[in-house]
Amino acid sequence: MDGAAPASGVLASLDNAKTSLFHIKTVAIAGMGFFTDAYDLFSIGLLTKLIGRIYYGGHMPINIAAALSSVALCGTLAGQLLFGYLGDKFGRKSVYGLTLWLMVVSSIGSGLSFGNSPDAVIGTLCFWRFMLGLGVGGDYPLSATIMSEYSSIKNRGAFVAAVFAMQGTGILVAAAVTVIVSAAFHNLAPQSPQNADYVWRIVLTFSAIPTVATMYLRNKMPETARYTMQVAHDEAKASKDMYTMQVAHDEAKASKDMSGVLGQAVVAEDSSAIRRQTWREFVKVYGSRLFGCAMCWFLLDIAFYSQGLFQSDVFKTIGWVPKINVFWPQTDIYHQSPLVPLKTTCSSANIYEYGSGTSSAAVQDIVAGTANCASDLQNSLAHSCHSKDDGCWMSPLFETFLIARAQVNTLEVDAAILALFSTIPGYWMTVFTVEKLGRKKIQDGGFLMMTLFMAILAGAYNDLLDHVAAFVILYAATFFFANWGPNSTTFIIPSEVFPSAWRCSAHGFCAACGKAGAIIGAFGFLYASKDPSNPDDKKDYGNVGIGLQNSLAILAATNGLGLIVSLLFVPETKGKSLEQLELHDSQDPGLLKKRASVEASA
């Protein structure tokens, strides 16, 4: 049975290495994968309403919206399990490039989803989103494990956190690209479903660009020395990988430089004579850690992804996205069947209907009303009604622009608070403090603050709706303490607390549990946040849901449970080598007994 490898010269050199150009390059290469991951997973939330306007003549059916939001998460879950296993079976580097190829091909495929009927487009898009999720999922255990195994003791947590922090940039860039593309088509092209159809395709395809840019560099990275020594049991190759990392920065150059050395090197152990732990044996020894890491990630992602997926509803509740009717202007759209446009009629009763897209003489009377809109919104709309009773109307492209702008705009104070105070700073606070405070303090503190803020939001919900600034600050604070908290540390800790032979698989398992929570959030809270007493929600979603206030209360309780699990089952890893973390409980009678039991049955 495999045990922890001794602290050889190679591993000691890794643990005490100074920060080098190789470390910085690795953070950038792995971080760009997470930039792309976040862009792909969060951009769809900005585009779902637009796709519904184009293909369903109004709101996308709730089952279709849930599937579209969650199919990539299902693929991500599968990818985390699959590539976690492959990373331990064949080596981290061997499968690392494959995840990028999946992301590139799937991003392009998403943008080229064929057909112009709802079934064809959504079916194709769901397929490519699932394949994209496989690549995204594979990046989680591989990037975390590679960065952890390359890093020194004093910088390991910060480097792994820096890789994960690129998610914040990816989220903001997804919003920025959506703003730019939707604004360009809104201002420069006729307002039609046909032209708007290009918008979501361009936004989804864009993520292939940064992915392609890192493909060559990722393929040039060496295998981690810890894998070659402790899993492949090849000290000669481990020495070469260390030389590649510290000096040559290129495998071909390292092989040439070290040809003499490698000729004299001896394989540390006969790998065929060493029996690897089975998964059952691994779980018997490390089960409590596995439970703690997996359950914390599961509970965190229920809350974190739920917030993101119904964020546009929160924006409308507090007034960032106006509660106004949406239409396609009459210009050149009704001959474009089978695309289904929205159509509405200005009337003193402020009534609108979703049309079938068929040609009719009556469509000549359909115009957009802006009489009740703010002046800046009126200036953004192409047409106007002349009666104040006609209400306020906007195009779906402008609606998409407003939703994305609420994520990224730095000119409006409320939006700036969410984008600048919560999204990016939370991630980078973890990077700068994780080696000082430790992983556990940050995780426990984050769960505590998220519980507190969401409980306040739920308890004082009706009062806070009249105090938008307070609502925004509390809502943004939950994101800040998620990112300077469990959203970052649940990624870091599983890359440290398990042995090399199972590190990638265990991280993938924990991450997959997190995505299971995200899927519950995507499906469950998409329904749960709807309020049957609200006429709009009842019309579009029927008698489902418990309302946003009750949903926030459930999420507060979920975060509280995460705090309890973290306190009881998650260890601190600050200041210890990966080998010390594998051995550090050897004096614990409980773990010692488990080890003896496993060895006796082997």
PDB file of all heavy atoms in Angstrom, residues 362-389:
ATOM      1  N   ALA A 362     -52.171  44.746 -38.878  1.00  0.00           N
ATOM      2  CA  ALA A 362     -52.233  45.413 -37.582  1.00  0.00           C
ATOM      3  C   ALA A 362     -50.852  45.747 -37.028  1.00  0.00           C
ATOM      4  O   ALA A 362     -50.720  46.619 -36.184  1.00  0.00           O
ATOM      5  CB  ALA A 362     -52.980  44.528 -36.586  1.00  0.00           C
ATOM      6  N   VAL A 363     -49.824  45.084 -37.514  1.00  0.00           N
ATOM      7  CA  VAL A 363     -48.502  45.338 -36.949  1.00  0.00           C
ATOM      8  C   VAL A 363     -48.005  46.743 -37.274  1.00  0.00           C
ATOM      9  O   VAL A 363     -47.100  47.247 -36.619  1.00  0.00           O
ATOM     10  CB  VAL A 363     -47.453  44.315 -37.444  1.00  0.00           C
ATOM     11  CG1 VAL A 363     -47.892  42.916 -37.113  1.00  0.00           C
ATOM     12  CG2 VAL A 363     -47.170  44.458 -38.929  1.00  0.00           C
ATOM     13  N   GLN A 364     -48.595  47.374 -38.260  1.00  0.00           N
ATOM     14  CA  GLN A 364     -48.152  48.724 -38.599  1.00  0.00           C
ATOM     15  C   GLN A 364     -48.438  49.705 -37.469  1.00  0.00           C
ATOM     16  O   GLN A 364     -47.833  50.768 -37.394  1.00  0.00           O
ATOM     17  CB  GLN A 364     -48.851  49.179 -39.887  1.00  0.00           C
ATOM     18  CG  GLN A 364     -48.586  48.264 -41.083  1.00  0.00           C
ATOM     19  CD  GLN A 364     -47.106  48.162 -41.409  1.00  0.00           C
ATOM     20  OE1 GLN A 364     -46.376  49.141 -41.313  1.00  0.00           O
ATOM     21  NE2 GLN A 364     -46.654  46.968 -41.760  1.00  0.00           N
ATOM     22  N   ASP A 365     -49.346  49.361 -36.566  1.00  0.00           N
ATOM     23  CA  ASP A 365     -49.691  50.253 -35.464  1.00  0.00           C
ATOM     24  C   ASP A 365     -48.853  49.992 -34.214  1.00  0.00           C
ATOM     25  O   ASP A 365     -49.030  50.656 -33.201  1.00  0.00           O
ATOM     26  CB  ASP A 365     -51.177  50.079 -35.107  1.00  0.00           C
ATOM     27  CG  ASP A 365     -52.069  50.439 -36.282  1.00  0.00           C
ATOM     28  OD1 ASP A 365     -51.695  51.362 -37.026  1.00  0.00           O
ATOM     29  OD2 ASP A 365     -53.107  49.779 -36.444  1.00  0.00           O
ATOM     30  N   ILE A 366     -47.973  49.027 -34.285  1.00  0.00           N
ATOM     31  CA  ILE A 366     -47.203  48.665 -33.101  1.00  0.00           C
ATOM     32  C   ILE A 366     -45.979  49.558 -32.990  1.00  0.00           C
ATOM     33  O   ILE A 366     -45.156  49.627 -33.882  1.00  0.00           O
ATOM     34  CB  ILE A 366     -46.774  47.188 -33.162  1.00  0.00           C
ATOM     35  CG1 ILE A 366     -48.011  46.293 -33.147  1.00  0.00           C
ATOM     36  CG2 ILE A 366     -45.837  46.838 -32.014  1.00  0.00           C
ATOM     37  CD1 ILE A 366     -47.705  44.848 -33.338  1.00  0.00           C
ATOM     38  N   VAL A 367     -45.868  50.245 -31.908  1.00  0.00           N
ATOM     39  CA  VAL A 367     -44.744  51.153 -31.684  1.00  0.00           C
ATOM     40  C   VAL A 367     -44.287  50.998 -30.243  1.00  0.00           C
ATOM     41  O   VAL A 367     -44.883  50.282 -29.456  1.00  0.00           O
ATOM     42  CB  VAL A 367     -45.134  52.625 -31.958  1.00  0.00           C
ATOM     43  CG1 VAL A 367     -45.379  52.847 -33.424  1.00  0.00           C
ATOM     44  CG2 VAL A 367     -46.343  53.015 -31.128  1.00  0.00           C
ATOM     45  N   ALA A 368     -43.201  51.669 -29.881  1.00  0.00           N
ATOM     46  CA  ALA A 368     -42.666  51.573 -28.529  1.00  0.00           C
ATOM     47  C   ALA A 368     -42.992  52.827 -27.757  1.00  0.00           C
ATOM     48  O   ALA A 368     -42.742  53.927 -28.212  1.00  0.00           O
ATOM     49  CB  ALA A 368     -41.163  51.383 -28.588  1.00  0.00           C
ATOM     50  N   GLY A 369     -43.478  52.654 -26.547  1.00  0.00           N
ATOM     51  CA  GLY A 369     -43.814  53.794 -25.726  1.00  0.00           C
ATOM     52  C   GLY A 369     -42.726  54.126 -24.740  1.00  0.00           C
ATOM     53  O   GLY A 369     -42.181  53.250 -24.095  1.00  0.00           O
ATOM     54  N   THR A 370     -42.395  55.371 -24.618  1.00  0.00           N
ATOM     55  CA  THR A 370     -41.365  55.795 -23.672  1.00  0.00           C
ATOM     56  C   THR A 370     -41.854  56.914 -22.774  1.00  0.00           C
ATOM     57  O   THR A 370     -41.063  57.533 -22.071  1.00  0.00           O
ATOM     58  CB  THR A 370     -40.108  56.283 -24.412  1.00  0.00           C
ATOM     59  OG1 THR A 370     -40.460  57.424 -25.210  1.00  0.00           O
ATOM     60  CG2 THR A 370     -39.533  55.204 -25.300  1.00  0.00           C
ATOM     61  N   ALA A 371     -43.134  57.179 -22.777  1.00  0.00           N
ATOM     62  CA  ALA A 371     -43.634  58.347 -22.054  1.00  0.00           C
ATOM     63  C   ALA A 371     -43.344  58.289 -20.568  1.00  0.00           C
ATOM     64  O   ALA A 371     -43.130  59.315 -19.926  1.00  0.00           O
ATOM     65  CB  ALA A 371     -45.136  58.494 -22.292  1.00  0.00           C
ATOM     66  N   ASN A 372     -43.351  57.081 -19.989  1.00  0.00           N
ATOM     67  CA  ASN A 372     -43.129  56.947 -18.553  1.00  0.00           C
ATOM     68  C   ASN A 372     -41.687  56.605 -18.198  1.00  0.00           C
ATOM     69  O   ASN A 372     -41.373  56.299 -17.057  1.00  0.00           O
ATOM     70  CB  ASN A 372     -44.038  55.852 -17.980  1.00  0.00           C
ATOM     71  CG  ASN A 372     -45.493  56.282 -17.993  1.00  0.00           C
ATOM     72  OD1 ASN A 372     -45.771  57.467 -18.046  1.00  0.00           O
ATOM     73  ND2 ASN A 372     -46.392  55.315 -17.962  1.00  0.00           N
ATOM     74  N   CYS A 373     -40.799  56.634 -19.185  1.00  0.00           N
ATOM     75  CA  CYS A 373     -39.413  56.257 -18.949  1.00  0.00           C
ATOM     76  C   CYS A 373     -38.593  57.456 -18.502  1.00  0.00           C
ATOM     77  O   CYS A 373     -38.922  58.603 -18.787  1.00  0.00           O
ATOM     78  CB  CYS A 373     -38.778  55.682 -20.214  1.00  0.00           C
ATOM     79  SG  CYS A 373     -39.604  54.200 -20.803  1.00  0.00           S
ATOM     80  N   ALA A 374     -37.484  57.157 -17.818  1.00  0.00           N
ATOM     81  CA  ALA A 374     -36.534  58.214 -17.492  1.00  0.00           C
ATOM     82  C   ALA A 374     -35.943  58.770 -18.777  1.00  0.00           C
ATOM     83  O   ALA A 374     -35.893  58.099 -19.803  1.00  0.00           O
ATOM     84  CB  ALA A 374     -35.425  57.656 -16.602  1.00  0.00           C
ATOM     85  N   SER A 375     -35.453  60.001 -18.721  1.00  0.00           N
ATOM     86  CA  SER A 375     -34.986  60.665 -19.931  1.00  0.00           C
ATOM     87  C   SER A 375     -33.835  59.911 -20.604  1.00  0.00           C
ATOM     88  O   SER A 375     -33.778  59.807 -21.832  1.00  0.00           O
ATOM     89  CB  SER A 375     -34.545  62.093 -19.607  1.00  0.00           C
ATOM     90  OG  SER A 375     -33.524  62.079 -18.622  1.00  0.00           O
ATOM     91  N   ASP A 376     -32.907  59.373 -19.809  1.00  0.00           N
ATOM     92  CA  ASP A 376     -31.786  58.675 -20.436  1.00  0.00           C
ATOM     93  C   ASP A 376     -32.238  57.399 -21.117  1.00  0.00           C
ATOM     94  O   ASP A 376     -31.697  56.988 -22.133  1.00  0.00           O
ATOM     95  CB  ASP A 376     -30.698  58.367 -19.404  1.00  0.00           C
ATOM     96  CG  ASP A 376     -31.201  57.448 -18.296  1.00  0.00           C
ATOM     97  OD1 ASP A 376     -32.407  57.501 -18.010  1.00  0.00           O
ATOM     98  OD2 ASP A 376     -30.376  56.707 -17.743  1.00  0.00           O
ATOM     99  N   LEU A 377     -33.309  56.763 -20.565  1.00  0.00           N
ATOM    100  CA  LEU A 377     -33.833  55.560 -21.194  1.00  0.00           C
ATOM    101  C   LEU A 377     -34.601  55.926 -22.458  1.00  0.00           C
ATOM    102  O   LEU A 377     -34.510  55.248 -23.480  1.00  0.00           O
ATOM    103  CB  LEU A 377     -34.736  54.804 -20.224  1.00  0.00           C
ATOM    104  CG  LEU A 377     -35.295  53.473 -20.709  1.00  0.00           C
ATOM    105  CD1 LEU A 377     -34.153  52.536 -21.105  1.00  0.00           C
ATOM    106  CD2 LEU A 377     -36.135  52.827 -19.631  1.00  0.00           C
ATOM    107  N   GLN A 378     -35.339  57.048 -22.428  1.00  0.00           N
ATOM    108  CA  GLN A 378     -36.045  57.486 -23.624  1.00  0.00           C
ATOM    109  C   GLN A 378     -35.080  57.699 -24.776  1.00  0.00           C
ATOM    110  O   GLN A 378     -35.338  57.322 -25.918  1.00  0.00           O
ATOM    111  CB  GLN A 378     -36.800  58.793 -23.342  1.00  0.00           C
ATOM    112  CG  GLN A 378     -38.012  58.632 -22.433  1.00  0.00           C
ATOM    113  CD  GLN A 378     -38.818  59.908 -22.358  1.00  0.00           C
ATOM    114  OE1 GLN A 378     -39.046  60.548 -23.376  1.00  0.00           O
ATOM    115  NE2 GLN A 378     -39.235  60.279 -21.166  1.00  0.00           N
ATOM    116  N   ASN A 379     -33.921  58.265 -24.474  1.00  0.00           N
ATOM    117  CA  ASN A 379     -32.951  58.545 -25.522  1.00  0.00           C
ATOM    118  C   ASN A 379     -32.362  57.278 -26.116  1.00  0.00           C
ATOM    119  O   ASN A 379     -31.775  57.315 -27.198  1.00  0.00           O
ATOM    120  CB  ASN A 379     -31.812  59.408 -24.968  1.00  0.00           C
ATOM    121  CG  ASN A 379     -32.290  60.797 -24.573  1.00  0.00           C
ATOM    122  OD1 ASN A 379     -33.272  61.296 -25.119  1.00  0.00           O
ATOM    123  ND2 ASN A 379     -31.598  61.413 -23.632  1.00  0.00           N
ATOM    124  N   SER A 380     -32.490  56.174 -25.402  1.00  0.00           N
ATOM    125  CA  SER A 380     -31.918  54.920 -25.875  1.00  0.00           C
ATOM    126  C   SER A 380     -32.882  54.125 -26.750  1.00  0.00           C
ATOM    127  O   SER A 380     -32.489  53.137 -27.341  1.00  0.00           O
ATOM    128  CB  SER A 380     -31.500  54.053 -24.684  1.00  0.00           C
ATOM    129  OG  SER A 380     -30.566  54.714 -23.889  1.00  0.00           O
ATOM    130  N   LEU A 381     -34.135  54.529 -26.806  1.00  0.00           N
ATOM    131  CA  LEU A 381     -35.144  53.780 -27.533  1.00  0.00           C
ATOM    132  C   LEU A 381     -35.444  54.433 -28.876  1.00  0.00           C
ATOM    133  O   LEU A 381     -35.364  55.652 -29.038  1.00  0.00           O
ATOM    134  CB  LEU A 381     -36.423  53.684 -26.700  1.00  0.00           C
ATOM    135  CG  LEU A 381     -36.228  52.999 -25.336  1.00  0.00           C
ATOM    136  CD1 LEU A 381     -37.476  53.096 -24.514  1.00  0.00           C
ATOM    137  CD2 LEU A 381     -35.828  51.552 -25.539  1.00  0.00           C
ATOM    138  N   ALA A 382     -35.793  53.589 -29.822  1.00  0.00           N
ATOM    139  CA  ALA A 382     -35.893  54.076 -31.189  1.00  0.00           C
ATOM    140  C   ALA A 382     -37.213  54.780 -31.491  1.00  0.00           C
ATOM    141  O   ALA A 382     -37.273  55.641 -32.355  1.00  0.00           O
ATOM    142  CB  ALA A 382     -35.710  52.909 -32.154  1.00  0.00           C
ATOM    143  N   HIS A 383     -38.272  54.424 -30.802  1.00  0.00           N
ATOM    144  CA  HIS A 383     -39.587  54.975 -31.109  1.00  0.00           C
ATOM    145  C   HIS A 383     -40.249  55.464 -29.828  1.00  0.00           C
ATOM    146  O   HIS A 383     -39.794  55.180 -28.741  1.00  0.00           O
ATOM    147  CB  HIS A 383     -40.476  53.902 -31.766  1.00  0.00           C
ATOM    148  CG  HIS A 383     -39.869  53.303 -32.986  1.00  0.00           C
ATOM    149  ND1 HIS A 383     -39.877  53.927 -34.211  1.00  0.00           N
ATOM    150  CD2 HIS A 383     -39.200  52.135 -33.161  1.00  0.00           C
ATOM    151  CE1 HIS A 383     -39.259  53.161 -35.095  1.00  0.00           C
ATOM    152  NE2 HIS A 383     -38.839  52.075 -34.476  1.00  0.00           N
ATOM    153  N   SER A 384     -41.351  56.159 -29.947  1.00  0.00           N
ATOM    154  CA  SER A 384     -42.068  56.585 -28.749  1.00  0.00           C
ATOM    155  C   SER A 384     -43.561  56.625 -29.015  1.00  0.00           C
ATOM    156  O   SER A 384     -44.008  56.865 -30.127  1.00  0.00           O
ATOM    157  CB  SER A 384     -41.598  57.975 -28.318  1.00  0.00           C
ATOM    158  OG  SER A 384     -41.917  58.929 -29.309  1.00  0.00           O
ATOM    159  N   CYS A 385     -44.296  56.366 -27.953  1.00  0.00           N
ATOM    160  CA  CYS A 385     -45.730  56.602 -28.000  1.00  0.00           C
ATOM    161  C   CYS A 385     -45.973  58.037 -27.549  1.00  0.00           C
ATOM    162  O   CYS A 385     -45.153  58.618 -26.849  1.00  0.00           O
ATOM    163  CB  CYS A 385     -46.466  55.643 -27.065  1.00  0.00           C
ATOM    164  SG  CYS A 385     -46.445  53.937 -27.647  1.00  0.00           S
ATOM    165  N   HIS A 386     -47.110  58.576 -27.914  1.00  0.00           N
ATOM    166  CA  HIS A 386     -47.354  59.980 -27.625  1.00  0.00           C
ATOM    167  C   HIS A 386     -48.332  60.194 -26.490  1.00  0.00           C
ATOM    168  O   HIS A 386     -48.612  61.320 -26.129  1.00  0.00           O
ATOM    169  CB  HIS A 386     -47.853  60.686 -28.894  1.00  0.00           C
ATOM    170  CG  HIS A 386     -46.872  60.601 -30.007  1.00  0.00           C
ATOM    171  ND1 HIS A 386     -45.665  61.248 -29.987  1.00  0.00           N
ATOM    172  CD2 HIS A 386     -46.906  59.900 -31.166  1.00  0.00           C
ATOM    173  CE1 HIS A 386     -44.997  60.990 -31.100  1.00  0.00           C
ATOM    174  NE2 HIS A 386     -45.731  60.171 -31.828  1.00  0.00           N
ATOM    175  N   SER A 387     -48.845  59.101 -25.928  1.00  0.00           N
ATOM    176  CA  SER A 387     -49.744  59.212 -24.796  1.00  0.00           C
ATOM    177  C   SER A 387     -49.032  58.725 -23.542  1.00  0.00           C
ATOM    178  O   SER A 387     -48.397  57.677 -23.537  1.00  0.00           O
ATOM    179  CB  SER A 387     -51.006  58.371 -25.018  1.00  0.00           C
ATOM    180  OG  SER A 387     -51.735  58.281 -23.822  1.00  0.00           O
ATOM    181  N   LYS A 388     -49.136  59.488 -22.461  1.00  0.00           N
ATOM    182  CA  LYS A 388     -48.467  59.112 -21.218  1.00  0.00           C
ATOM    183  C   LYS A 388     -48.999  57.798 -20.692  1.00  0.00           C
ATOM    184  O   LYS A 388     -48.308  57.075 -19.971  1.00  0.00           O
ATOM    185  CB  LYS A 388     -48.652  60.214 -20.179  1.00  0.00           C
ATOM    186  CG  LYS A 388     -47.804  60.015 -18.931  1.00  0.00           C
ATOM    187  CD  LYS A 388     -47.883  61.215 -18.013  1.00  0.00           C
ATOM    188  CE  LYS A 388     -46.994  61.009 -16.804  1.00  0.00           C
ATOM    189  NZ  LYS A 388     -47.012  62.169 -15.894  1.00  0.00           N
ATOM    190  N   ASP A 389     -50.224  57.461 -21.043  1.00  0.00           N
ATOM    191  CA  ASP A 389     -50.814  56.224 -20.569  1.00  0.00           C
ATOM    192  C   ASP A 389     -50.267  54.998 -21.295  1.00  0.00           C
ATOM    193  O   ASP A 389     -50.560  53.866 -20.907  1.00  0.00           O
ATOM    194  CB  ASP A 389     -52.342  56.251 -20.749  1.00  0.00           C
ATOM    195  CG  ASP A 389     -52.983  57.286 -19.840  1.00  0.00           C
ATOM    196  OD1 ASP A 389     -52.406  57.538 -18.762  1.00  0.00           O
ATOM    197  OD2 ASP A 389     -54.042  57.800 -20.206  1.00  0.00           O
TER     198      ASP A 389
END
